[in-house]
Amino acid sequence: MLNERPLYVALGDSLTVGVGSTLFQPNFVKLFHHDLEVYYQTPIERRVFAKNGATTAAILQSLSRPEVMEAVQNANFITLTGGGNDFLKAGKVWLKTGDFSVVLQATQQSLSHFDQMINQIITIHSNRPIPLMIRVLNLYNPLFYIPETNRWLDNYNQRLFSLERYPAVQVADIYHAFSGHEPQLLSFDHIHPNPIGYRVMAQATAALGFELTPFQTSTTFH
């Protein structure tokens, strides 16, 4: 059941900001917000807390800001993007030095940060236990032309699905939605999606459905 004033909160990095889209084209957040309103046939408020270049550590830290905590507490719908900047930084070091340990470290840190984010979101939301839906978007590969990157990113994305052990959480498989089509879906910077890429992201997320999970303070999370 929706709030009287349902709220969609978008958390994340440049993919939530919409970098790579154009001025007159909608980005992922606007597209998914529209899908929610069409499904529920009601106006839904939207609040965005995202920063270009944000790592998973920075997104996790943002959940301590009072305005973000208030929004998360009152949200029915939450989307979460992150991890791309962690891997781009690690990938640059790996390509320059051949040291693969930085990639393994980035994998572990990003997965740990996501786990902490979901825990924190659920803890904050428990202060007002209204029905909730959380969608985490996994990562497409902007370095798809380097075969090794596909192997370790696929491994990371598979491990990210472990977040679905939490009630209300589902992971949107952006990696496979983009796989094989990256040149058509990336913007001129070859890093961020173009408008078509953002539409593919929204479609992959919408394909999971829009059903809310009842939320009770007695619910246990592992």
Side-chain angles (χ1 to χ4, degrees), residues 30-67:
K30 291 178 181 176
L31 289 164
F32 190 69
H33 181 219
H34 174 74
D35 290 340
L36 285 170
E37 291 190 322
V38 169
Y39 181 84
Y40 282 99
Q41 292 292 293
T42 190
I44 295 173
E45 185 184 350
R46 181 180 74 221
R47 298 189 69 187
V48 179
F49 302 97
K51 187 177 180 182
N52 189 19
T55 61
T56 53
I59 300 165
L60 174 61
Q61 191 174 22
S62 75
L63 287 168
S64 300
R65 287 163 44 198
E67 66 273 24

PDB file of all heavy atoms in Angstrom, residues 30-67:
ATOM      1  N   LYS A  30      14.558   9.655 -14.406  1.00  0.00           N
ATOM      2  CA  LYS A  30      13.303  10.217 -14.945  1.00  0.00           C
ATOM      3  C   LYS A  30      12.471   9.136 -15.637  1.00  0.00           C
ATOM      4  O   LYS A  30      11.238   9.112 -15.506  1.00  0.00           O
ATOM      5  CB  LYS A  30      13.619  11.354 -15.913  1.00  0.00           C
ATOM      6  CG  LYS A  30      14.188  12.591 -15.225  1.00  0.00           C
ATOM      7  CD  LYS A  30      14.530  13.668 -16.237  1.00  0.00           C
ATOM      8  CE  LYS A  30      15.131  14.884 -15.545  1.00  0.00           C
ATOM      9  NZ  LYS A  30      15.568  15.919 -16.519  1.00  0.00           N
ATOM     10  N   LEU A  31      13.137   8.253 -16.360  1.00  0.00           N
ATOM     11  CA  LEU A  31      12.427   7.170 -17.047  1.00  0.00           C
ATOM     12  C   LEU A  31      11.792   6.207 -16.049  1.00  0.00           C
ATOM     13  O   LEU A  31      10.628   5.816 -16.190  1.00  0.00           O
ATOM     14  CB  LEU A  31      13.387   6.418 -17.972  1.00  0.00           C
ATOM     15  CG  LEU A  31      13.832   7.167 -19.225  1.00  0.00           C
ATOM     16  CD1 LEU A  31      15.060   6.504 -19.839  1.00  0.00           C
ATOM     17  CD2 LEU A  31      12.698   7.243 -20.256  1.00  0.00           C
ATOM     18  N   PHE A  32      12.548   5.809 -15.031  1.00  0.00           N
ATOM     19  CA  PHE A  32      12.026   4.857 -14.049  1.00  0.00           C
ATOM     20  C   PHE A  32      10.924   5.497 -13.213  1.00  0.00           C
ATOM     21  O   PHE A  32       9.928   4.847 -12.883  1.00  0.00           O
ATOM     22  CB  PHE A  32      13.162   4.332 -13.159  1.00  0.00           C
ATOM     23  CG  PHE A  32      12.731   3.180 -12.280  1.00  0.00           C
ATOM     24  CD1 PHE A  32      12.435   1.945 -12.844  1.00  0.00           C
ATOM     25  CD2 PHE A  32      12.608   3.338 -10.915  1.00  0.00           C
ATOM     26  CE1 PHE A  32      12.024   0.882 -12.048  1.00  0.00           C
ATOM     27  CE2 PHE A  32      12.201   2.282 -10.110  1.00  0.00           C
ATOM     28  CZ  PHE A  32      11.905   1.043 -10.685  1.00  0.00           C
ATOM     29  N   HIS A  33      11.091   6.773 -12.896  1.00  0.00           N
ATOM     30  CA  HIS A  33      10.061   7.515 -12.173  1.00  0.00           C
ATOM     31  C   HIS A  33       8.750   7.517 -12.975  1.00  0.00           C
ATOM     32  O   HIS A  33       7.657   7.288 -12.418  1.00  0.00           O
ATOM     33  CB  HIS A  33      10.548   8.947 -11.937  1.00  0.00           C
ATOM     34  CG  HIS A  33       9.585   9.804 -11.186  1.00  0.00           C
ATOM     35  ND1 HIS A  33       9.387  11.139 -11.496  1.00  0.00           N
ATOM     36  CD2 HIS A  33       8.739   9.537 -10.158  1.00  0.00           C
ATOM     37  CE1 HIS A  33       8.479  11.638 -10.673  1.00  0.00           C
ATOM     38  NE2 HIS A  33       8.064  10.695  -9.864  1.00  0.00           N
ATOM     39  N   HIS A  34       8.853   7.748 -14.258  1.00  0.00           N
ATOM     40  CA  HIS A  34       7.670   7.720 -15.128  1.00  0.00           C
ATOM     41  C   HIS A  34       7.023   6.339 -15.113  1.00  0.00           C
ATOM     42  O   HIS A  34       5.789   6.217 -15.028  1.00  0.00           O
ATOM     43  CB  HIS A  34       8.067   8.105 -16.557  1.00  0.00           C
ATOM     44  CG  HIS A  34       6.959   7.960 -17.552  1.00  0.00           C
ATOM     45  ND1 HIS A  34       5.892   8.833 -17.622  1.00  0.00           N
ATOM     46  CD2 HIS A  34       6.735   7.028 -18.517  1.00  0.00           C
ATOM     47  CE1 HIS A  34       5.070   8.449 -18.581  1.00  0.00           C
ATOM     48  NE2 HIS A  34       5.561   7.355 -19.139  1.00  0.00           N
ATOM     49  N   ASP A  35       7.844   5.284 -15.176  1.00  0.00           N
ATOM     50  CA  ASP A  35       7.313   3.917 -15.139  1.00  0.00           C
ATOM     51  C   ASP A  35       6.546   3.656 -13.845  1.00  0.00           C
ATOM     52  O   ASP A  35       5.495   3.003 -13.849  1.00  0.00           O
ATOM     53  CB  ASP A  35       8.451   2.902 -15.273  1.00  0.00           C
ATOM     54  CG  ASP A  35       9.071   2.889 -16.663  1.00  0.00           C
ATOM     55  OD1 ASP A  35       8.420   3.360 -17.610  1.00  0.00           O
ATOM     56  OD2 ASP A  35      10.212   2.397 -16.795  1.00  0.00           O
ATOM     57  N   LEU A  36       7.071   4.146 -12.726  1.00  0.00           N
ATOM     58  CA  LEU A  36       6.395   3.978 -11.435  1.00  0.00           C
ATOM     59  C   LEU A  36       5.024   4.670 -11.445  1.00  0.00           C
ATOM     60  O   LEU A  36       4.024   4.108 -10.991  1.00  0.00           O
ATOM     61  CB  LEU A  36       7.248   4.564 -10.300  1.00  0.00           C
ATOM     62  CG  LEU A  36       8.477   3.768  -9.856  1.00  0.00           C
ATOM     63  CD1 LEU A  36       9.328   4.613  -8.909  1.00  0.00           C
ATOM     64  CD2 LEU A  36       8.068   2.467  -9.170  1.00  0.00           C
ATOM     65  N   GLU A  37       5.000   5.895 -11.959  1.00  0.00           N
ATOM     66  CA  GLU A  37       3.749   6.648 -11.973  1.00  0.00           C
ATOM     67  C   GLU A  37       2.711   5.997 -12.895  1.00  0.00           C
ATOM     68  O   GLU A  37       1.509   5.977 -12.579  1.00  0.00           O
ATOM     69  CB  GLU A  37       4.000   8.101 -12.388  1.00  0.00           C
ATOM     70  CG  GLU A  37       4.772   8.890 -11.337  1.00  0.00           C
ATOM     71  CD  GLU A  37       4.820  10.376 -11.623  1.00  0.00           C
ATOM     72  OE1 GLU A  37       4.935  10.744 -12.819  1.00  0.00           O
ATOM     73  OE2 GLU A  37       4.766  11.163 -10.664  1.00  0.00           O
ATOM     74  N   VAL A  38       3.162   5.456 -14.001  1.00  0.00           N
ATOM     75  CA  VAL A  38       2.247   4.767 -14.914  1.00  0.00           C
ATOM     76  C   VAL A  38       1.693   3.508 -14.246  1.00  0.00           C
ATOM     77  O   VAL A  38       0.486   3.228 -14.306  1.00  0.00           O
ATOM     78  CB  VAL A  38       2.959   4.403 -16.236  1.00  0.00           C
ATOM     79  CG1 VAL A  38       2.110   3.448 -17.069  1.00  0.00           C
ATOM     80  CG2 VAL A  38       3.269   5.664 -17.034  1.00  0.00           C
ATOM     81  N   TYR A  39       2.560   2.759 -13.579  1.00  0.00           N
ATOM     82  CA  TYR A  39       2.131   1.515 -12.938  1.00  0.00           C
ATOM     83  C   TYR A  39       1.127   1.775 -11.823  1.00  0.00           C
ATOM     84  O   TYR A  39       0.106   1.093 -11.717  1.00  0.00           O
ATOM     85  CB  TYR A  39       3.343   0.760 -12.381  1.00  0.00           C
ATOM     86  CG  TYR A  39       2.984  -0.556 -11.726  1.00  0.00           C
ATOM     87  CD1 TYR A  39       2.830  -1.708 -12.493  1.00  0.00           C
ATOM     88  CD2 TYR A  39       2.804  -0.648 -10.342  1.00  0.00           C
ATOM     89  CE1 TYR A  39       2.489  -2.917 -11.903  1.00  0.00           C
ATOM     90  CE2 TYR A  39       2.459  -1.847  -9.750  1.00  0.00           C
ATOM     91  CZ  TYR A  39       2.310  -2.980 -10.527  1.00  0.00           C
ATOM     92  OH  TYR A  39       1.967  -4.170  -9.946  1.00  0.00           O
ATOM     93  N   TYR A  40       1.414   2.762 -10.983  1.00  0.00           N
ATOM     94  CA  TYR A  40       0.555   3.031  -9.828  1.00  0.00           C
ATOM     95  C   TYR A  40      -0.561   4.039 -10.124  1.00  0.00           C
ATOM     96  O   TYR A  40      -1.429   4.262  -9.275  1.00  0.00           O
ATOM     97  CB  TYR A  40       1.399   3.495  -8.631  1.00  0.00           C
ATOM     98  CG  TYR A  40       2.092   2.331  -7.956  1.00  0.00           C
ATOM     99  CD1 TYR A  40       3.427   2.049  -8.220  1.00  0.00           C
ATOM    100  CD2 TYR A  40       1.396   1.508  -7.083  1.00  0.00           C
ATOM    101  CE1 TYR A  40       4.059   0.964  -7.621  1.00  0.00           C
ATOM    102  CE2 TYR A  40       2.021   0.421  -6.474  1.00  0.00           C
ATOM    103  CZ  TYR A  40       3.350   0.145  -6.746  1.00  0.00           C
ATOM    104  OH  TYR A  40       3.955  -0.929  -6.155  1.00  0.00           O
ATOM    105  N   GLN A  41      -0.509   4.638 -11.311  1.00  0.00           N
ATOM    106  CA  GLN A  41      -1.560   5.580 -11.719  1.00  0.00           C
ATOM    107  C   GLN A  41      -1.774   6.696 -10.692  1.00  0.00           C
ATOM    108  O   GLN A  41      -2.917   7.053 -10.366  1.00  0.00           O
ATOM    109  CB  GLN A  41      -2.874   4.822 -11.972  1.00  0.00           C
ATOM    110  CG  GLN A  41      -2.834   3.903 -13.188  1.00  0.00           C
ATOM    111  CD  GLN A  41      -2.733   4.684 -14.500  1.00  0.00           C
ATOM    112  OE1 GLN A  41      -3.640   5.388 -14.887  1.00  0.00           O
ATOM    113  NE2 GLN A  41      -1.591   4.561 -15.173  1.00  0.00           N
ATOM    114  N   THR A  42      -0.651   7.215 -10.197  1.00  0.00           N
ATOM    115  CA  THR A  42      -0.723   8.299  -9.215  1.00  0.00           C
ATOM    116  C   THR A  42       0.575   9.109  -9.265  1.00  0.00           C
ATOM    117  O   THR A  42       1.630   8.563  -9.616  1.00  0.00           O
ATOM    118  CB  THR A  42      -0.941   7.739  -7.789  1.00  0.00           C
ATOM    119  OG1 THR A  42      -1.240   8.809  -6.894  1.00  0.00           O
ATOM    120  CG2 THR A  42       0.284   6.998  -7.283  1.00  0.00           C
ATOM    121  N   PRO A  43       0.526  10.396  -8.936  1.00  0.00           N
ATOM    122  CA  PRO A  43       1.767  11.180  -8.867  1.00  0.00           C
ATOM    123  C   PRO A  43       2.670  10.653  -7.752  1.00  0.00           C
ATOM    124  O   PRO A  43       2.195  10.325  -6.656  1.00  0.00           O
ATOM    125  CB  PRO A  43       1.286  12.599  -8.552  1.00  0.00           C
ATOM    126  CG  PRO A  43      -0.155  12.614  -8.919  1.00  0.00           C
ATOM    127  CD  PRO A  43      -0.668  11.230  -8.677  1.00  0.00           C
ATOM    128  N   ILE A  44       3.955  10.561  -8.043  1.00  0.00           N
ATOM    129  CA  ILE A  44       4.945  10.096  -7.068  1.00  0.00           C
ATOM    130  C   ILE A  44       6.044  11.148  -6.986  1.00  0.00           C
ATOM    131  O   ILE A  44       6.601  11.557  -8.007  1.00  0.00           O
ATOM    132  CB  ILE A  44       5.526   8.726  -7.471  1.00  0.00           C
ATOM    133  CG1 ILE A  44       4.415   7.658  -7.440  1.00  0.00           C
ATOM    134  CG2 ILE A  44       6.690   8.326  -6.564  1.00  0.00           C
ATOM    135  CD1 ILE A  44       4.836   6.302  -7.984  1.00  0.00           C
ATOM    136  N   GLU A  45       6.331  11.588  -5.776  1.00  0.00           N
ATOM    137  CA  GLU A  45       7.400  12.572  -5.582  1.00  0.00           C
ATOM    138  C   GLU A  45       8.749  11.914  -5.843  1.00  0.00           C
ATOM    139  O   GLU A  45       8.926  10.713  -5.596  1.00  0.00           O
ATOM    140  CB  GLU A  45       7.339  13.115  -4.150  1.00  0.00           C
ATOM    141  CG  GLU A  45       8.339  14.235  -3.871  1.00  0.00           C
ATOM    142  CD  GLU A  45       8.334  14.692  -2.423  1.00  0.00           C
ATOM    143  OE1 GLU A  45       7.416  14.283  -1.667  1.00  0.00           O
ATOM    144  OE2 GLU A  45       9.255  15.441  -2.050  1.00  0.00           O
ATOM    145  N   ARG A  46       9.712  12.690  -6.322  1.00  0.00           N
ATOM    146  CA  ARG A  46      11.047  12.167  -6.625  1.00  0.00           C
ATOM    147  C   ARG A  46      12.116  13.027  -5.940  1.00  0.00           C
ATOM    148  O   ARG A  46      12.074  14.251  -6.023  1.00  0.00           O
ATOM    149  CB  ARG A  46      11.283  12.185  -8.137  1.00  0.00           C
ATOM    150  CG  ARG A  46      12.648  11.641  -8.559  1.00  0.00           C
ATOM    151  CD  ARG A  46      12.788  11.692 -10.072  1.00  0.00           C
ATOM    152  NE  ARG A  46      13.013  13.034 -10.596  1.00  0.00           N
ATOM    153  CZ  ARG A  46      12.452  13.527 -11.685  1.00  0.00           C
ATOM    154  NH1 ARG A  46      11.583  12.808 -12.386  1.00  0.00           N
ATOM    155  NH2 ARG A  46      12.730  14.755 -12.103  1.00  0.00           N
ATOM    156  N   ARG A  47      13.046  12.357  -5.273  1.00  0.00           N
ATOM    157  CA  ARG A  47      14.187  13.064  -4.690  1.00  0.00           C
ATOM    158  C   ARG A  47      15.464  12.323  -5.086  1.00  0.00           C
ATOM    159  O   ARG A  47      15.529  11.094  -5.005  1.00  0.00           O
ATOM    160  CB  ARG A  47      14.068  13.146  -3.166  1.00  0.00           C
ATOM    161  CG  ARG A  47      12.844  13.929  -2.703  1.00  0.00           C
ATOM    162  CD  ARG A  47      12.846  14.196  -1.220  1.00  0.00           C
ATOM    163  NE  ARG A  47      13.908  15.141  -0.852  1.00  0.00           N
ATOM    164  CZ  ARG A  47      14.222  15.457   0.405  1.00  0.00           C
ATOM    165  NH1 ARG A  47      13.564  14.899   1.416  1.00  0.00           N
ATOM    166  NH2 ARG A  47      15.169  16.326   0.665  1.00  0.00           N
ATOM    167  N   VAL A  48      16.460  13.081  -5.524  1.00  0.00           N
ATOM    168  CA  VAL A  48      17.703  12.502  -6.034  1.00  0.00           C
ATOM    169  C   VAL A  48      18.875  12.953  -5.165  1.00  0.00           C
ATOM    170  O   VAL A  48      19.058  14.159  -4.938  1.00  0.00           O
ATOM    171  CB  VAL A  48      17.950  12.910  -7.504  1.00  0.00           C
ATOM    172  CG1 VAL A  48      19.258  12.308  -8.015  1.00  0.00           C
ATOM    173  CG2 VAL A  48      16.774  12.473  -8.383  1.00  0.00           C
ATOM    174  N   PHE A  49      19.646  11.986  -4.697  1.00  0.00           N
ATOM    175  CA  PHE A  49      20.865  12.264  -3.930  1.00  0.00           C
ATOM    176  C   PHE A  49      22.003  11.518  -4.621  1.00  0.00           C
ATOM    177  O   PHE A  49      22.215  10.319  -4.394  1.00  0.00           O
ATOM    178  CB  PHE A  49      20.718  11.806  -2.477  1.00  0.00           C
ATOM    179  CG  PHE A  49      19.570  12.446  -1.753  1.00  0.00           C
ATOM    180  CD1 PHE A  49      18.354  11.783  -1.642  1.00  0.00           C
ATOM    181  CD2 PHE A  49      19.691  13.718  -1.202  1.00  0.00           C
ATOM    182  CE1 PHE A  49      17.286  12.368  -0.974  1.00  0.00           C
ATOM    183  CE2 PHE A  49      18.629  14.317  -0.544  1.00  0.00           C
ATOM    184  CZ  PHE A  49      17.419  13.640  -0.429  1.00  0.00           C
ATOM    185  N   ALA A  50      22.698  12.205  -5.491  1.00  0.00           N
ATOM    186  CA  ALA A  50      23.732  11.558  -6.294  1.00  0.00           C
ATOM    187  C   ALA A  50      24.789  12.574  -6.687  1.00  0.00           C
ATOM    188  O   ALA A  50      24.514  13.770  -6.769  1.00  0.00           O
ATOM    189  CB  ALA A  50      23.120  10.935  -7.545  1.00  0.00           C
ATOM    190  N   LYS A  51      25.984  12.061  -6.944  1.00  0.00           N
ATOM    191  CA  LYS A  51      27.100  12.944  -7.316  1.00  0.00           C
ATOM    192  C   LYS A  51      27.971  12.254  -8.350  1.00  0.00           C
ATOM    193  O   LYS A  51      28.318  11.085  -8.198  1.00  0.00           O
ATOM    194  CB  LYS A  51      27.926  13.288  -6.069  1.00  0.00           C
ATOM    195  CG  LYS A  51      29.014  14.331  -6.321  1.00  0.00           C
ATOM    196  CD  LYS A  51      29.734  14.682  -5.034  1.00  0.00           C
ATOM    197  CE  LYS A  51      30.825  15.727  -5.276  1.00  0.00           C
ATOM    198  NZ  LYS A  51      31.572  16.055  -4.039  1.00  0.00           N
ATOM    199  N   ASN A  52      28.306  13.008  -9.394  1.00  0.00           N
ATOM    200  CA  ASN A  52      29.210  12.485 -10.416  1.00  0.00           C
ATOM    201  C   ASN A  52      30.558  12.143  -9.779  1.00  0.00           C
ATOM    202  O   ASN A  52      31.129  12.945  -9.042  1.00  0.00           O
ATOM    203  CB  ASN A  52      29.392  13.548 -11.510  1.00  0.00           C
ATOM    204  CG  ASN A  52      30.137  13.009 -12.706  1.00  0.00           C
ATOM    205  OD1 ASN A  52      30.226  11.798 -12.903  1.00  0.00           O
ATOM    206  ND2 ASN A  52      30.673  13.900 -13.517  1.00  0.00           N
ATOM    207  N   GLY A  53      31.064  10.950 -10.034  1.00  0.00           N
ATOM    208  CA  GLY A  53      32.357  10.528  -9.495  1.00  0.00           C
ATOM    209  C   GLY A  53      32.286   9.855  -8.140  1.00  0.00           C
ATOM    210  O   GLY A  53      33.309   9.427  -7.605  1.00  0.00           O
ATOM    211  N   ALA A  54      31.079   9.737  -7.566  1.00  0.00           N
ATOM    212  CA  ALA A  54      30.953   9.144  -6.232  1.00  0.00           C
ATOM    213  C   ALA A  54      31.333   7.668  -6.239  1.00  0.00           C
ATOM    214  O   ALA A  54      30.894   6.902  -7.099  1.00  0.00           O
ATOM    215  CB  ALA A  54      29.524   9.307  -5.715  1.00  0.00           C
ATOM    216  N   THR A  55      32.143   7.271  -5.276  1.00  0.00           N
ATOM    217  CA  THR A  55      32.470   5.865  -5.062  1.00  0.00           C
ATOM    218  C   THR A  55      31.416   5.252  -4.136  1.00  0.00           C
ATOM    219  O   THR A  55      30.595   5.965  -3.552  1.00  0.00           O
ATOM    220  CB  THR A  55      33.846   5.716  -4.415  1.00  0.00           C
ATOM    221  OG1 THR A  55      33.819   6.392  -3.139  1.00  0.00           O
ATOM    222  CG2 THR A  55      34.940   6.330  -5.290  1.00  0.00           C
ATOM    223  N   THR A  56      31.462   3.934  -3.977  1.00  0.00           N
ATOM    224  CA  THR A  56      30.519   3.298  -3.050  1.00  0.00           C
ATOM    225  C   THR A  56      30.762   3.778  -1.624  1.00  0.00           C
ATOM    226  O   THR A  56      29.813   3.894  -0.843  1.00  0.00           O
ATOM    227  CB  THR A  56      30.623   1.765  -3.111  1.00  0.00           C
ATOM    228  OG1 THR A  56      31.985   1.370  -2.926  1.00  0.00           O
ATOM    229  CG2 THR A  56      30.101   1.234  -4.438  1.00  0.00           C
ATOM    230  N   ALA A  57      31.998   4.095  -1.281  1.00  0.00           N
ATOM    231  CA  ALA A  57      32.295   4.625   0.062  1.00  0.00           C
ATOM    232  C   ALA A  57      31.597   5.965   0.263  1.00  0.00           C
ATOM    233  O   ALA A  57      31.021   6.232   1.330  1.00  0.00           O
ATOM    234  CB  ALA A  57      33.804   4.777   0.260  1.00  0.00           C
ATOM    235  N   ALA A  58      31.619   6.821  -0.754  1.00  0.00           N
ATOM    236  CA  ALA A  58      30.986   8.141  -0.657  1.00  0.00           C
ATOM    237  C   ALA A  58      29.466   8.018  -0.594  1.00  0.00           C
ATOM    238  O   ALA A  58      28.804   8.763   0.146  1.00  0.00           O
ATOM    239  CB  ALA A  58      31.397   9.004  -1.850  1.00  0.00           C
ATOM    240  N   ILE A  59      28.897   7.079  -1.360  1.00  0.00           N
ATOM    241  CA  ILE A  59      27.444   6.888  -1.333  1.00  0.00           C
ATOM    242  C   ILE A  59      27.017   6.377   0.038  1.00  0.00           C
ATOM    243  O   ILE A  59      26.020   6.844   0.605  1.00  0.00           O
ATOM    244  CB  ILE A  59      26.999   5.915  -2.447  1.00  0.00           C
ATOM    245  CG1 ILE A  59      27.379   6.470  -3.815  1.00  0.00           C
ATOM    246  CG2 ILE A  59      25.480   5.682  -2.375  1.00  0.00           C
ATOM    247  CD1 ILE A  59      27.310   5.455  -4.946  1.00  0.00           C
ATOM    248  N   LEU A  60      27.786   5.444   0.582  1.00  0.00           N
ATOM    249  CA  LEU A  60      27.509   4.939   1.930  1.00  0.00           C
ATOM    250  C   LEU A  60      27.548   6.074   2.948  1.00  0.00           C
ATOM    251  O   LEU A  60      26.654   6.198   3.809  1.00  0.00           O
ATOM    252  CB  LEU A  60      28.521   3.852   2.301  1.00  0.00           C
ATOM    253  CG  LEU A  60      28.462   3.302   3.729  1.00  0.00           C
ATOM    254  CD1 LEU A  60      27.118   2.642   4.014  1.00  0.00           C
ATOM    255  CD2 LEU A  60      29.611   2.313   3.968  1.00  0.00           C
ATOM    256  N   GLN A  61      28.545   6.918   2.850  1.00  0.00           N
ATOM    257  CA  GLN A  61      28.686   8.048   3.771  1.00  0.00           C
ATOM    258  C   GLN A  61      27.514   9.021   3.646  1.00  0.00           C
ATOM    259  O   GLN A  61      27.064   9.605   4.641  1.00  0.00           O
ATOM    260  CB  GLN A  61      30.008   8.776   3.501  1.00  0.00           C
ATOM    261  CG  GLN A  61      30.382   9.795   4.558  1.00  0.00           C
ATOM    262  CD  GLN A  61      31.780  10.372   4.317  1.00  0.00           C
ATOM    263  OE1 GLN A  61      32.297  10.336   3.208  1.00  0.00           O
ATOM    264  NE2 GLN A  61      32.394  10.900   5.361  1.00  0.00           N
ATOM    265  N   SER A  62      26.982   9.175   2.429  1.00  0.00           N
ATOM    266  CA  SER A  62      25.874  10.112   2.211  1.00  0.00           C
ATOM    267  C   SER A  62      24.623   9.702   2.976  1.00  0.00           C
ATOM    268  O   SER A  62      23.768  10.537   3.277  1.00  0.00           O
ATOM    269  CB  SER A  62      25.550  10.228   0.715  1.00  0.00           C
ATOM    270  OG  SER A  62      24.855   9.089   0.248  1.00  0.00           O
ATOM    271  N   LEU A  63      24.508   8.421   3.308  1.00  0.00           N
ATOM    272  CA  LEU A  63      23.333   7.937   4.041  1.00  0.00           C
ATOM    273  C   LEU A  63      23.311   8.436   5.483  1.00  0.00           C
ATOM    274  O   LEU A  63      22.320   8.237   6.188  1.00  0.00           O
ATOM    275  CB  LEU A  63      23.293   6.407   4.023  1.00  0.00           C
ATOM    276  CG  LEU A  63      22.911   5.768   2.687  1.00  0.00           C
ATOM    277  CD1 LEU A  63      23.184   4.277   2.705  1.00  0.00           C
ATOM    278  CD2 LEU A  63      21.449   6.044   2.364  1.00  0.00           C
ATOM    279  N   SER A  64      24.369   9.090   5.930  1.00  0.00           N
ATOM    280  CA  SER A  64      24.409   9.677   7.272  1.00  0.00           C
ATOM    281  C   SER A  64      23.925  11.129   7.285  1.00  0.00           C
ATOM    282  O   SER A  64      23.773  11.710   8.355  1.00  0.00           O
ATOM    283  CB  SER A  64      25.833   9.615   7.834  1.00  0.00           C
ATOM    284  OG  SER A  64      26.273   8.276   7.915  1.00  0.00           O
ATOM    285  N   ARG A  65      23.705  11.699   6.091  1.00  0.00           N
ATOM    286  CA  ARG A  65      23.232  13.086   6.027  1.00  0.00           C
ATOM    287  C   ARG A  65      21.760  13.146   6.410  1.00  0.00           C
ATOM    288  O   ARG A  65      20.954  12.316   5.954  1.00  0.00           O
ATOM    289  CB  ARG A  65      23.429  13.634   4.614  1.00  0.00           C
ATOM    290  CG  ARG A  65      24.889  13.932   4.285  1.00  0.00           C
ATOM    291  CD  ARG A  65      25.118  14.069   2.795  1.00  0.00           C
ATOM    292  NE  ARG A  65      24.089  14.880   2.126  1.00  0.00           N
ATOM    293  CZ  ARG A  65      23.882  14.853   0.803  1.00  0.00           C
ATOM    294  NH1 ARG A  65      24.626  14.060   0.029  1.00  0.00           N
ATOM    295  NH2 ARG A  65      22.945  15.607   0.269  1.00  0.00           N
ATOM    296  N   PRO A  66      21.366  14.098   7.254  1.00  0.00           N
ATOM    297  CA  PRO A  66      19.985  14.159   7.747  1.00  0.00           C
ATOM    298  C   PRO A  66      18.928  14.187   6.647  1.00  0.00           C
ATOM    299  O   PRO A  66      17.903  13.508   6.755  1.00  0.00           O
ATOM    300  CB  PRO A  66      19.968  15.456   8.564  1.00  0.00           C
ATOM    301  CG  PRO A  66      21.378  15.653   8.997  1.00  0.00           C
ATOM    302  CD  PRO A  66      22.224  15.132   7.878  1.00  0.00           C
ATOM    303  N   GLU A  67      19.181  14.957   5.565  1.00  0.00           N
ATOM    304  CA  GLU A  67      18.164  15.070   4.517  1.00  0.00           C
ATOM    305  C   GLU A  67      18.002  13.750   3.755  1.00  0.00           C
ATOM    306  O   GLU A  67      16.900  13.405   3.296  1.00  0.00           O
ATOM    307  CB  GLU A  67      18.485  16.220   3.546  1.00  0.00           C
ATOM    308  CG  GLU A  67      19.736  16.039   2.707  1.00  0.00           C
ATOM    309  CD  GLU A  67      21.012  16.536   3.382  1.00  0.00           C
ATOM    310  OE1 GLU A  67      21.060  16.601   4.625  1.00  0.00           O
ATOM    311  OE2 GLU A  67      21.960  16.860   2.637  1.00  0.00           O
TER     312      GLU A  67
END
